[in-house]
Amino acid sequence: MSALPQEPRNDLFELTGEAGTEPAFELEPLHPADDSDSARQNELFLPDTDPEHPENTPQIEFDGMAPPVFTVALHDGREVRFQHAHSLLESLESQDVEVHFQCREGYCGSCRAQLLEGDVHYTEEPMAWLNDGEILPCCCIPKSHLKIKL
């Protein structure tokens, strides 16, 4: 049994106007979209608070353990600090350091930076290829004071 060719759907638009030498017609939707359905959201949702300046919350302090505040020195001489952010990229952005990025999850590698000094921990294993001495700020946090080249 062979399948019959399907006719194109013509129930979405209606051709109106008069036929002539010049195109004088328009396609009009048969079922106009409701404005509430056609509205698109084009907003960027950012956190309500600055991750490097969180609200004061009680934290457990351990004897002999230094608070997790790390200095991040940039190759151009600027210095920022990492303390409460979820990633090094988030911390750098909140302190007005421009870092190129795309995915924020370690897939693309566009935020790649050179680690000149220090050590990092990856909160998510990066999928992008990394050469020796490179880090992805989008998915790592410092384990010590850092010096990086963006």
Side-chain angles (χ1 to χ4, degrees):
M1 180 176 191
S2 66
L4 295 174
Q6 292 200 1
E7 299 263 336
R9 286 187 62 183
N10 60 3
D11 62 341
L12 298 177
F13 292 92
E14 176 182 19
L15 187 58
T16 61
E18 294 184 25
T21 57
E22 301 237 353
F25 57 85
E26 295 180 20
L27 286 178
E28 296 179 9
L30 289 176
H31 310 288
D34 184 19
D35 285 338
S36 62
D37 291 338
S38 64
R40 290 202 172 115
Q41 183 173 354
N42 291 326
E43 279 186 62
L44 175 64
F45 290 101
L46 297 174
D48 292 334
T49 59
D50 181 357
E52 284 302 328
H53 300 95
E55 297 175 7
N56 288 333
T57 56
Q59 296 186 6
I60 300 173
E61 293 185 19
F62 296 103
D63 291 332
M65 185 174 178
V69 178
F70 298 110
T71 306
V72 180
L74 304 174
H75 71 287
D76 62 4
R78 291 183 291 169
E79 195 171 274
V80 296
R81 67 185 187 120
F82 178 94
Q83 186 171 17
H84 297 285
H86 296 290
S87 70
L88 182 55
L89 174 63
E90 189 178 278
S91 179
L92 292 169
E93 286 179 320
S94 71
Q95 297 173 74
D96 297 324
V97 175
E98 186 177 332
V99 181
H100 299 287
F101 66 90
Q102 289 182 10
C103 71
R104 293 183 169 270
E105 295 180 3
Y107 294 112
C108 69
S110 65
C111 66
R112 184 180 317 264
Q114 267 188 306
L115 180 63
L116 304 173
E117 294 176 18
D119 197 19
V120 297
H121 168 74
Y122 283 97
T123 55
E124 297 175 28
E125 192 64 33
M127 298 299 290
W129 176 262
L130 289 173
N131 293 318
D132 289 339
E134 291 182 334
I135 61 170
L136 294 180
C138 67
C139 57
C140 73
I141 57 173
K143 288 172 51 175
S144 65
H145 298 295
L146 301 178
K147 184 172 185 179
I148 61 174
K149 181 178 181 181
L150 299 172

